[in-house]
Amino acid sequence: MFDDLTNKVAIVTGAARGIGLAYATALAGAGMKVALSDILDEEGERAAAELRDHGHEAVYIRADVSDQQSVQSLAKQTAETFGGIDTLVNNAAIWGDLQFASVFDISPERWDRSFDVNVKGVFLTSVAAARYMEGRPGAAIINQASTAPYIATPRTADYSSGKAAVITLTKTLAKSFGDLGIRVNAIAPGGIATEASLNKSVDLFADAAIAQQCIKRAGQTSDLIGPLLFLASDASGYMSGQTLVVDGGKTMTA
Ligand code: NAD
């Protein structure tokens, strides 16, 4: 079904672990050449090596998404290594290392860093990659949002607000890049069991939380792969600026 992805080129940010690693693995499995990017070099190098061991074309390229030069270099290196860029997955975010805190305990420095990585990172990486994606058939950007903005939890004001900004940025980038032939959509997962989410001080997968969902189980990284491949491929070729909520039916926004 996703044959159109074969031999195309993807960048996945925040790909050293968790959801990003699952995304990179799935895109490689669909036949794409994948640049895994992160600031966790050891894990990132290991992940890319494992994909190569399984016969896939994969490299690890370090990039801090909050740094313009860093993401420009990521886009350039990927295009030089694999001959272009077709798909960008903006997955990197400060999330695993984010402590839950009330608004009284979130410092201005934490707020700025959250927005630098979680919002500015999506903006900078998208603009850097778009220069290499322009005019390529099926070019697509997929941003990692979250259901946090819909729930408006008071524990992570910086994170929730930043992910709300990612949803709006998805729309503005979709309009900005429409003439370049690049579609831009987002995935908004609910709680997904990763090392990062399982280590939170609050149990995101407690019985009371799961009871609010239509589908009564914790979300897994595998639950996001169908939506990812759909948004990366021509199967969603008439969609842009949209956010797909994947949360077991917990939040219903429209
Ligand atoms: P994670 O913390 O394991 O993954 C985030 C990755 O981003 C890490 O590998 C981290 O090193 C990387 N990263 C952080 N700062 C970076 C920077 N400045 N430059 C480049 N890379 C950087 O968490 P995860 O659970 O795998 O979440 C991945 C994505 O999914 C995030 O965008 C998160 O907000 C989103 N999300 C997660 C859940 C969940 O329940 N796990 C739910 C909704 C959305």
Side-chain angles (χ1 to χ4, degrees), residues 17 19 38 63-65 91 93 95-96 144 159 163 189-190 192 194:
R17 67 184 188 198
I19 296 171
D38 210 293
D64 177 342
V65 296
N91 166 76
W95 158 244
Q144 186 78 328
Y159 178 79
K163 289 297 186 182
I192 299 294
T194 61

Side-chain angles (χ1 to χ4, degrees), residues 13-20 37-40 63-66 90-97 113 117-118 144-147 159 163 188-197 204-205:
T13 67
R17 67 184 188 198
I19 296 171
S37 188
D38 210 293
I39 49 175
L40 299 175
D64 177 342
V65 296
S66 67
N90 284 308
N91 166 76
I94 298 183
W95 158 244
D97 301 328
R113 187 63 189 149
V117 174
N118 297 6
Q144 186 78 328
S146 166
T147 53
Y159 178 79
K163 289 297 186 182
I192 299 294
T194 61
E195 192 184 333
S197 59
L204 300 178
F205 308 103

Side-chain angles (χ1 to χ4, degrees), residues 130-156:
R131 304 191 185 291
Y132 299 91
M133 298 173 74
E134 179 176 356
R136 289 173 74 93
I141 295 176
I142 296 121
N143 297 328
Q144 186 78 328
S146 166
T147 53
Y150 307 131
I151 298 167
T153 164
R155 298 186 297 249
T156 53

Side-chain angles (χ1 to χ4, degrees), residues 77-94:
Q77 281 184 66
T78 303
E80 285 173 359
T81 305
F82 291 136
I85 304 170
D86 300 288
T87 303
L88 167 66
V89 184
N90 284 308
N91 166 76
I94 298 183

Side-chain angles (χ1 to χ4, degrees), residues 48-56:
E50 274 179 27
L51 287 178
R52 287 194 297 274
D53 287 347
H54 284 87
H56 302 299

